[in-house]
PDB file of all heavy atoms in Angstrom:
ATOM      1  N   LEU A1147     -38.885  -3.842  10.213  1.00 97.00           N
ATOM      2  CA  LEU A1147     -39.208  -3.483  11.627  1.00 97.00           C
ATOM      3  C   LEU A1147     -40.700  -3.421  11.793  1.00 97.00           C
ATOM      4  O   LEU A1147     -41.249  -4.012  12.724  1.00 97.00           O
ATOM      5  CB  LEU A1147     -38.448  -2.337  12.161  1.00 97.00           C
ATOM      6  CG  LEU A1147     -38.362  -2.197  13.633  1.00 97.00           C
ATOM      7  CD1 LEU A1147     -37.794  -3.363  14.301  1.00 97.00           C
ATOM      8  CD2 LEU A1147     -37.471  -0.945  13.984  1.00 97.00           C
ATOM      9  N   PRO A1148     -41.450  -2.703  10.924  1.00 97.00           N
ATOM     10  CA  PRO A1148     -42.905  -2.680  11.102  1.00 97.00           C
ATOM     11  C   PRO A1148     -43.552  -3.985  11.000  1.00 97.00           C
ATOM     12  O   PRO A1148     -44.511  -4.302  11.705  1.00 97.00           O
ATOM     13  CB  PRO A1148     -43.380  -1.701   9.934  1.00 97.00           C
ATOM     14  CG  PRO A1148     -42.194  -0.821   9.677  1.00 97.00           C
ATOM     15  CD  PRO A1148     -40.986  -1.705   9.957  1.00 97.00           C
ATOM     16  N   LYS A1149     -43.031  -4.865  10.156  1.00 98.00           N
ATOM     17  CA  LYS A1149     -43.565  -6.255  10.008  1.00 98.00           C
ATOM     18  C   LYS A1149     -43.317  -7.072  11.290  1.00 98.00           C
ATOM     19  O   LYS A1149     -44.187  -7.782  11.737  1.00 98.00           O
ATOM     20  CB  LYS A1149     -42.981  -6.961   8.771  1.00 98.00           C
ATOM     21  CG  LYS A1149     -43.519  -6.496   7.481  1.00 98.00           C
ATOM     22  CD  LYS A1149     -42.859  -7.298   6.308  1.00 98.00           C
ATOM     23  CE  LYS A1149     -43.413  -6.854   4.945  1.00 98.00           C
ATOM     24  NZ  LYS A1149     -42.737  -7.678   3.865  1.00 98.00           N
ATOM     25  N   ILE A1150     -42.168  -6.865  11.837  1.00 98.00           N
ATOM     26  CA  ILE A1150     -41.926  -7.598  13.131  1.00 98.00           C
ATOM     27  C   ILE A1150     -42.762  -7.080  14.259  1.00 98.00           C
ATOM     28  O   ILE A1150     -43.298  -7.898  14.971  1.00 98.00           O
ATOM     29  CB  ILE A1150     -40.384  -7.480  13.475  1.00 98.00           C
ATOM     30  CG1 ILE A1150     -39.602  -8.245  12.390  1.00 98.00           C
ATOM     31  CG2 ILE A1150     -40.095  -8.012  14.860  1.00 98.00           C
ATOM     32  CD1 ILE A1150     -38.065  -7.991  12.493  1.00 98.00           C
ATOM     33  N   LYS A1151     -42.904  -5.788  14.350  1.00 97.00           N
ATOM     34  CA  LYS A1151     -43.747  -5.194  15.398  1.00 97.00           C
ATOM     35  C   LYS A1151     -45.273  -5.715  15.181  1.00 97.00           C
ATOM     36  O   LYS A1151     -45.911  -5.807  16.278  1.00 97.00           O
ATOM     37  CB  LYS A1151     -43.658  -3.673  15.363  1.00 97.00           C
ATOM     38  CG  LYS A1151     -42.353  -3.219  15.909  1.00 97.00           C
ATOM     39  CD  LYS A1151     -42.234  -1.653  15.864  1.00 97.00           C
ATOM     40  CE  LYS A1151     -40.871  -1.264  16.475  1.00 97.00           C
ATOM     41  NZ  LYS A1151     -40.843   0.266  16.378  1.00 97.00           N
ATOM     42  N   LYS A1152     -45.625  -5.930  14.038  1.00 97.00           N
ATOM     43  CA  LYS A1152     -47.015  -6.357  13.793  1.00 97.00           C
ATOM     44  C   LYS A1152     -47.212  -7.777  14.341  1.00 97.00           C
ATOM     45  O   LYS A1152     -48.328  -8.111  14.835  1.00 97.00           O
ATOM     46  CB  LYS A1152     -47.301  -6.271  12.269  1.00 97.00           C
ATOM     47  CG  LYS A1152     -48.747  -6.506  11.936  1.00 97.00           C
ATOM     48  CD  LYS A1152     -49.004  -6.311  10.446  1.00 97.00           C
ATOM     49  CE  LYS A1152     -50.448  -6.517  10.168  1.00 97.00           C
ATOM     50  NZ  LYS A1152     -50.764  -6.245   8.679  1.00 97.00           N
ATOM     51  N   ILE A1153     -46.241  -8.652  14.294  1.00 97.00           N
ATOM     52  CA  ILE A1153     -46.388 -10.006  14.857  1.00 97.00           C
ATOM     53  C   ILE A1153     -45.942 -10.161  16.302  1.00 97.00           C
ATOM     54  O   ILE A1153     -46.144 -11.212  16.928  1.00 97.00           O
ATOM     55  CB  ILE A1153     -45.638 -11.077  13.933  1.00 97.00           C
ATOM     56  CG1 ILE A1153     -44.157 -10.854  14.065  1.00 97.00           C
ATOM     57  CG2 ILE A1153     -46.156 -11.077  12.545  1.00 97.00           C
ATOM     58  CD1 ILE A1153     -43.295 -12.037  13.524  1.00 97.00           C
ATOM     59  N   LEU A1154     -45.415  -9.088  16.860  1.00 98.00           N
ATOM     60  CA  LEU A1154     -44.887  -9.068  18.186  1.00 98.00           C
ATOM     61  C   LEU A1154     -46.091  -9.028  19.140  1.00 98.00           C
ATOM     62  O   LEU A1154     -46.926  -8.121  19.163  1.00 98.00           O
ATOM     63  CB  LEU A1154     -44.017  -7.880  18.474  1.00 98.00           C
ATOM     64  CG  LEU A1154     -43.314  -7.798  19.783  1.00 98.00           C
ATOM     65  CD1 LEU A1154     -42.132  -8.837  19.751  1.00 98.00           C
ATOM     66  CD2 LEU A1154     -42.726  -6.351  20.028  1.00 98.00           C
ATOM     67  N   PRO A1155     -46.221 -10.003  20.088  1.00 97.00           N
ATOM     68  CA  PRO A1155     -47.321  -9.996  21.073  1.00 97.00           C
ATOM     69  C   PRO A1155     -47.233  -8.663  21.890  1.00 97.00           C
ATOM     70  O   PRO A1155     -46.134  -8.112  22.174  1.00 97.00           O
ATOM     71  CB  PRO A1155     -47.022 -11.165  21.918  1.00 97.00           C
ATOM     72  CG  PRO A1155     -46.302 -12.093  21.053  1.00 97.00           C
ATOM     73  CD  PRO A1155     -45.421 -11.243  20.190  1.00 97.00           C
ATOM     74  N   LYS A1156     -48.377  -8.191  22.324  1.00 95.00           N
ATOM     75  CA  LYS A1156     -48.415  -6.885  22.967  1.00 95.00           C
ATOM     76  C   LYS A1156     -47.635  -6.842  24.344  1.00 95.00           C
ATOM     77  O   LYS A1156     -47.137  -5.795  24.714  1.00 95.00           O
ATOM     78  CB  LYS A1156     -49.908  -6.474  23.255  1.00 95.00           C
ATOM     79  CG  LYS A1156     -50.655  -6.220  21.992  1.00 95.00           C
ATOM     80  CD  LYS A1156     -51.932  -5.529  22.218  1.00 95.00           C
ATOM     81  CE  LYS A1156     -52.838  -5.386  20.985  1.00 95.00           C
ATOM     82  NZ  LYS A1156     -52.210  -5.034  19.809  1.00 95.00           N
ATOM     83  N   ASP A1157     -47.541  -7.932  24.985  1.00 96.00           N
ATOM     84  CA  ASP A1157     -46.863  -7.984  26.230  1.00 96.00           C
ATOM     85  C   ASP A1157     -45.294  -8.283  26.158  1.00 96.00           C
ATOM     86  O   ASP A1157     -44.606  -8.402  27.144  1.00 96.00           O
ATOM     87  CB  ASP A1157     -47.483  -8.960  27.243  1.00 96.00           C
ATOM     88  CG  ASP A1157     -47.500 -10.388  26.730  1.00 96.00           C
ATOM     89  OD1 ASP A1157     -47.431 -10.618  25.504  1.00 96.00           O
ATOM     90  OD2 ASP A1157     -47.572 -11.282  27.576  1.00 96.00           O
ATOM     91  N   PHE A1158     -44.818  -8.366  24.906  1.00 98.00           N
ATOM     92  CA  PHE A1158     -43.437  -8.577  24.694  1.00 98.00           C
ATOM     93  C   PHE A1158     -42.665  -7.187  24.607  1.00 98.00           C
ATOM     94  O   PHE A1158     -43.319  -6.209  24.258  1.00 98.00           O
ATOM     95  CB  PHE A1158     -43.184  -9.289  23.387  1.00 98.00           C
ATOM     96  CG  PHE A1158     -43.342 -10.804  23.443  1.00 98.00           C
ATOM     97  CD1 PHE A1158     -44.361 -11.353  24.223  1.00 98.00           C
ATOM     98  CD2 PHE A1158     -42.501 -11.615  22.794  1.00 98.00           C
ATOM     99  CE1 PHE A1158     -44.578 -12.735  24.256  1.00 98.00           C
ATOM    100  CE2 PHE A1158     -42.733 -13.006  22.807  1.00 98.00           C
ATOM    101  CZ  PHE A1158     -43.749 -13.600  23.538  1.00 98.00           C
ATOM    102  N   VAL A1159     -41.393  -7.178  24.865  1.00 98.00           N
ATOM    103  CA  VAL A1159     -40.605  -5.991  24.788  1.00 98.00           C
ATOM    104  C   VAL A1159     -39.569  -6.158  23.721  1.00 98.00           C
ATOM    105  O   VAL A1159     -38.838  -7.167  23.693  1.00 98.00           O
ATOM    106  CB  VAL A1159     -39.933  -5.589  26.078  1.00 98.00           C
ATOM    107  CG1 VAL A1159     -39.002  -4.410  25.994  1.00 98.00           C
ATOM    108  CG2 VAL A1159     -40.977  -5.374  27.229  1.00 98.00           C
ATOM    109  N   LEU A1160     -39.479  -5.197  22.786  1.00 98.00           N
ATOM    110  CA  LEU A1160     -38.528  -5.300  21.707  1.00 98.00           C
ATOM    111  C   LEU A1160     -37.488  -4.190  21.916  1.00 98.00           C
ATOM    112  O   LEU A1160     -37.907  -2.982  22.068  1.00 98.00           O
ATOM    113  CB  LEU A1160     -39.203  -5.150  20.326  1.00 98.00           C
ATOM    114  CG  LEU A1160     -38.323  -5.277  19.111  1.00 98.00           C
ATOM    115  CD1 LEU A1160     -39.022  -5.955  17.996  1.00 98.00           C
ATOM    116  CD2 LEU A1160     -37.787  -3.899  18.661  1.00 98.00           C
ATOM    117  N   LYS A1161     -36.208  -4.505  21.828  1.00 98.00           N
ATOM    118  CA  LYS A1161     -35.176  -3.447  21.908  1.00 98.00           C
ATOM    119  C   LYS A1161     -34.280  -3.588  20.734  1.00 98.00           C
ATOM    120  O   LYS A1161     -33.872  -4.688  20.399  1.00 98.00           O
ATOM    121  CB  LYS A1161     -34.368  -3.696  23.222  1.00 98.00           C
ATOM    122  CG  LYS A1161     -33.263  -2.738  23.411  1.00 98.00           C
ATOM    123  CD  LYS A1161     -32.463  -2.994  24.701  1.00 98.00           C
ATOM    124  CE  LYS A1161     -31.350  -1.982  24.858  1.00 98.00           C
ATOM    125  NZ  LYS A1161     -30.537  -2.284  26.021  1.00 98.00           N
ATOM    126  N   ILE A1162     -34.016  -2.508  20.074  1.00 97.00           N
ATOM    127  CA  ILE A1162     -33.114  -2.442  18.854  1.00 97.00           C
ATOM    128  C   ILE A1162     -31.700  -2.332  19.414  1.00 97.00           C
ATOM    129  O   ILE A1162     -31.356  -1.379  20.131  1.00 97.00           O
ATOM    130  CB  ILE A1162     -33.489  -1.296  17.973  1.00 97.00           C
ATOM    131  CG1 ILE A1162     -34.895  -1.547  17.377  1.00 97.00           C
ATOM    132  CG2 ILE A1162     -32.453  -1.206  16.817  1.00 97.00           C
ATOM    133  CD1 ILE A1162     -35.490  -0.354  16.639  1.00 97.00           C
ATOM    134  N   LEU A1163     -30.846  -3.271  19.032  1.00 96.00           N
ATOM    135  CA  LEU A1163     -29.411  -3.242  19.382  1.00 96.00           C
ATOM    136  C   LEU A1163     -28.540  -2.580  18.368  1.00 96.00           C
ATOM    137  O   LEU A1163     -27.587  -1.858  18.635  1.00 96.00           O
ATOM    138  CB  LEU A1163     -28.929  -4.673  19.718  1.00 96.00           C
ATOM    139  CG  LEU A1163     -29.665  -5.444  20.793  1.00 96.00           C
ATOM    140  CD1 LEU A1163     -29.073  -6.869  20.891  1.00 96.00           C
ATOM    141  CD2 LEU A1163     -29.556  -4.741  22.118  1.00 96.00           C
ATOM    142  N   GLU A1164     -28.862  -2.860  17.070  1.00 93.00           N
ATOM    143  CA  GLU A1164     -28.123  -2.343  15.909  1.00 93.00           C
ATOM    144  C   GLU A1164     -29.170  -2.074  14.837  1.00 93.00           C
ATOM    145  O   GLU A1164     -30.078  -2.911  14.640  1.00 93.00           O
ATOM    146  CB  GLU A1164     -27.054  -3.230  15.416  1.00 93.00           C
ATOM    147  CG  GLU A1164     -25.867  -3.449  16.276  1.00 93.00           C
ATOM    148  CD  GLU A1164     -24.945  -2.261  16.442  1.00 93.00           C
ATOM    149  OE1 GLU A1164     -24.996  -1.376  15.528  1.00 93.00           O
ATOM    150  OE2 GLU A1164     -24.240  -2.170  17.377  1.00 93.00           O
ATOM    151  N   ASN A1165     -29.007  -1.001  14.093  1.00 93.00           N
ATOM    152  CA  ASN A1165     -29.920  -0.745  12.976  1.00 93.00           C
ATOM    153  C   ASN A1165     -29.062   0.018  11.922  1.00 93.00           C
ATOM    154  O   ASN A1165     -28.964   1.262  12.002  1.00 93.00           O
ATOM    155  CB  ASN A1165     -31.121   0.099  13.408  1.00 93.00           C
ATOM    156  CG  ASN A1165     -32.100   0.312  12.321  1.00 93.00           C
ATOM    157  OD1 ASN A1165     -31.969  -0.243  11.212  1.00 93.00           O
ATOM    158  ND2 ASN A1165     -33.212   0.954  12.638  1.00 93.00           N
ATOM    159  N   GLU A1166     -28.435  -0.715  11.007  1.00 89.00           N
ATOM    160  CA  GLU A1166     -27.541  -0.147  10.100  1.00 89.00           C
ATOM    161  C   GLU A1166     -28.112  -0.132   8.682  1.00 89.00           C
ATOM    162  O   GLU A1166     -28.849  -1.075   8.371  1.00 89.00           O
ATOM    163  CB  GLU A1166     -26.196  -0.901  10.132  1.00 89.00           C
ATOM    164  CG  GLU A1166     -25.492  -0.845  11.477  1.00 89.00           C
ATOM    165  CD  GLU A1166     -25.099   0.567  11.859  1.00 89.00           C
ATOM    166  OE1 GLU A1166     -24.641   1.349  10.946  1.00 89.00           O
ATOM    167  OE2 GLU A1166     -25.158   0.901  13.086  1.00 89.00           O
ATOM    168  N   PRO A1167     -27.780   0.774   7.859  1.00 86.00           N
ATOM    169  CA  PRO A1167     -28.231   0.800   6.451  1.00 86.00           C
ATOM    170  C   PRO A1167     -27.661  -0.379   5.636  1.00 86.00           C
ATOM    171  O   PRO A1167     -26.605  -0.920   5.988  1.00 86.00           O
ATOM    172  CB  PRO A1167     -27.833   2.149   5.944  1.00 86.00           C
ATOM    173  CG  PRO A1167     -26.650   2.485   6.745  1.00 86.00           C
ATOM    174  CD  PRO A1167     -26.814   1.937   8.106  1.00 86.00           C
ATOM    175  N   ALA A1168     -28.357  -0.668   4.562  1.00 86.00           N
ATOM    176  CA  ALA A1168     -27.782  -1.636   3.554  1.00 86.00           C
ATOM    177  C   ALA A1168     -26.759  -0.800   2.674  1.00 86.00           C
ATOM    178  O   ALA A1168     -26.823   0.397   2.590  1.00 86.00           O
ATOM    179  CB  ALA A1168     -28.910  -2.219   2.734  1.00 86.00           C
ATOM    180  N   GLN A1169     -25.883  -1.559   2.077  1.00 84.00           N
ATOM    181  CA  GLN A1169     -24.984  -0.908   1.141  1.00 84.00           C
ATOM    182  C   GLN A1169     -25.411  -1.257  -0.277  1.00 84.00           C
ATOM    183  O   GLN A1169     -25.787  -2.336  -0.555  1.00 84.00           O
ATOM    184  CB  GLN A1169     -23.489  -1.518   1.392  1.00 84.00           C
ATOM    185  CG  GLN A1169     -23.005  -1.303   2.721  1.00 84.00           C
ATOM    186  CD  GLN A1169     -21.727  -2.074   3.082  1.00 84.00           C
ATOM    187  OE1 GLN A1169     -21.208  -2.691   2.097  1.00 84.00           O
ATOM    188  NE2 GLN A1169     -21.303  -2.078   4.210  1.00 84.00           N
ATOM    189  N   PHE A1170     -25.415  -0.242  -1.105  1.00 85.00           N
ATOM    190  CA  PHE A1170     -25.807  -0.400  -2.444  1.00 85.00           C
ATOM    191  C   PHE A1170     -25.156   0.646  -3.331  1.00 85.00           C
ATOM    192  O   PHE A1170     -25.196   1.871  -3.046  1.00 85.00           O
ATOM    193  CB  PHE A1170     -27.339  -0.397  -2.621  1.00 85.00           C
ATOM    194  CG  PHE A1170     -27.819  -0.498  -4.023  1.00 85.00           C
ATOM    195  CD1 PHE A1170     -27.845  -1.731  -4.588  1.00 85.00           C
ATOM    196  CD2 PHE A1170     -28.206   0.584  -4.782  1.00 85.00           C
ATOM    197  CE1 PHE A1170     -28.192  -1.907  -5.942  1.00 85.00           C
ATOM    198  CE2 PHE A1170     -28.563   0.391  -6.079  1.00 85.00           C
ATOM    199  CZ  PHE A1170     -28.611  -0.846  -6.661  1.00 85.00           C
ATOM    200  N   ALA A1171     -24.605   0.203  -4.446  1.00 85.00           N
ATOM    201  CA  ALA A1171     -24.086   1.107  -5.477  1.00 85.00           C
ATOM    202  C   ALA A1171     -24.560   0.560  -6.789  1.00 85.00           C
ATOM    203  O   ALA A1171     -24.458  -0.638  -7.047  1.00 85.00           O
ATOM    204  CB  ALA A1171     -22.587   1.197  -5.413  1.00 85.00           C
ATOM    205  N   LYS A1172     -25.124   1.444  -7.680  1.00 88.00           N
ATOM    206  CA  LYS A1172     -25.599   0.938  -8.969  1.00 88.00           C
ATOM    207  C   LYS A1172     -24.409   0.488  -9.790  1.00 88.00           C
ATOM    208  O   LYS A1172     -23.357   0.957  -9.761  1.00 88.00           O
ATOM    209  CB  LYS A1172     -26.286   2.115  -9.708  1.00 88.00           C
ATOM    210  CG  LYS A1172     -27.607   2.563  -9.058  1.00 88.00           C
ATOM    211  CD  LYS A1172     -28.207   3.674  -9.832  1.00 88.00           C
ATOM    212  CE  LYS A1172     -29.499   4.097  -9.172  1.00 88.00           C
ATOM    213  NZ  LYS A1172     -30.201   5.162  -9.909  1.00 88.00           N
ATOM    214  N   GLU A1173     -24.739  -0.601 -10.569  1.00 88.00           N
ATOM    215  CA  GLU A1173     -23.699  -1.095 -11.497  1.00 88.00           C
ATOM    216  C   GLU A1173     -23.252  -0.108 -12.554  1.00 88.00           C
ATOM    217  O   GLU A1173     -22.158  -0.228 -13.080  1.00 88.00           O
ATOM    218  CB  GLU A1173     -24.269  -2.354 -12.147  1.00 88.00           C
ATOM    219  CG  GLU A1173     -24.316  -3.499 -11.180  1.00 88.00           C
ATOM    220  CD  GLU A1173     -25.480  -4.456 -11.455  1.00 88.00           C
ATOM    221  OE1 GLU A1173     -26.179  -4.267 -12.466  1.00 88.00           O
ATOM    222  OE2 GLU A1173     -25.617  -5.423 -10.685  1.00 88.00           O
ATOM    223  N   THR A1174     -24.079   0.909 -12.773  1.00 91.00           N
ATOM    224  CA  THR A1174     -23.777   1.966 -13.724  1.00 91.00           C
ATOM    225  C   THR A1174     -22.952   3.117 -13.093  1.00 91.00           C
ATOM    226  O   THR A1174     -22.511   4.017 -13.795  1.00 91.00           O
ATOM    227  CB  THR A1174     -25.017   2.556 -14.357  1.00 91.00           C
ATOM    228  OG1 THR A1174     -25.892   3.068 -13.249  1.00 91.00           O
ATOM    229  CG2 THR A1174     -25.808   1.539 -15.087  1.00 91.00           C
ATOM    230  N   ASP A1175     -22.705   3.029 -11.834  1.00 90.00           N
ATOM    231  CA  ASP A1175     -21.840   4.032 -11.096  1.00 90.00           C
ATOM    232  C   ASP A1175     -20.482   4.118 -11.779  1.00 90.00           C
ATOM    233  O   ASP A1175     -19.873   3.117 -12.157  1.00 90.00           O
ATOM    234  CB  ASP A1175     -21.705   3.568  -9.641  1.00 90.00           C
ATOM    235  CG  ASP A1175     -20.871   4.605  -8.868  1.00 90.00           C
ATOM    236  OD1 ASP A1175     -21.413   5.550  -8.309  1.00 90.00           O
ATOM    237  OD2 ASP A1175     -19.637   4.388  -8.831  1.00 90.00           O
ATOM    238  N   LEU A1176     -19.999   5.316 -11.895  1.00 91.00           N
ATOM    239  CA  LEU A1176     -18.739   5.569 -12.597  1.00 91.00           C
ATOM    240  C   LEU A1176     -17.572   4.822 -11.939  1.00 91.00           C
ATOM    241  O   LEU A1176     -16.733   4.216 -12.641  1.00 91.00           O
ATOM    242  CB  LEU A1176     -18.376   7.063 -12.581  1.00 91.00           C
ATOM    243  CG  LEU A1176     -17.027   7.487 -13.110  1.00 91.00           C
ATOM    244  CD1 LEU A1176     -16.892   7.122 -14.673  1.00 91.00           C
ATOM    245  CD2 LEU A1176     -16.778   8.988 -12.892  1.00 91.00           C
ATOM    246  N   TYR A1177     -17.528   4.761 -10.632  1.00 89.00           N
ATOM    247  CA  TYR A1177     -16.433   4.069  -9.945  1.00 89.00           C
ATOM    248  C   TYR A1177     -16.495   2.554 -10.121  1.00 89.00           C
ATOM    249  O   TYR A1177     -15.559   1.856 -10.261  1.00 89.00           O
ATOM    250  CB  TYR A1177     -16.406   4.447  -8.459  1.00 89.00           C
ATOM    251  CG  TYR A1177     -15.929   5.877  -8.229  1.00 89.00           C
ATOM    252  CD1 TYR A1177     -16.884   6.862  -7.745  1.00 89.00           C
ATOM    253  CD2 TYR A1177     -14.673   6.289  -8.483  1.00 89.00           C
ATOM    254  CE1 TYR A1177     -16.447   8.176  -7.554  1.00 89.00           C
ATOM    255  CE2 TYR A1177     -14.256   7.600  -8.290  1.00 89.00           C
ATOM    256  CZ  TYR A1177     -15.167   8.569  -7.804  1.00 89.00           C
ATOM    257  OH  TYR A1177     -14.813   9.872  -7.628  1.00 89.00           O
TER     258      TYR A1177
END
Side-chain angles (χ1 to χ4, degrees):
L1147 199 52
K1149 285 181 179 180
I1150 293 170
K1151 287 180 178 178
K1152 190 173 182 179
I1153 65 167
L1154 188 74
K1156 294 194 186 318
D1157 61 335
F1158 280 39
V1159 176
L1160 182 145
K1161 181 180 178 185
I1162 298 170
L1163 304 176
E1164 293 287 340
N1165 187 0
E1166 298 296 326
Q1169 299 171 6
F1170 179 76
K1172 292 181 180 180
E1173 288 148 0
T1174 57
D1175 179 90
L1176 175 65
Y1177 292 111

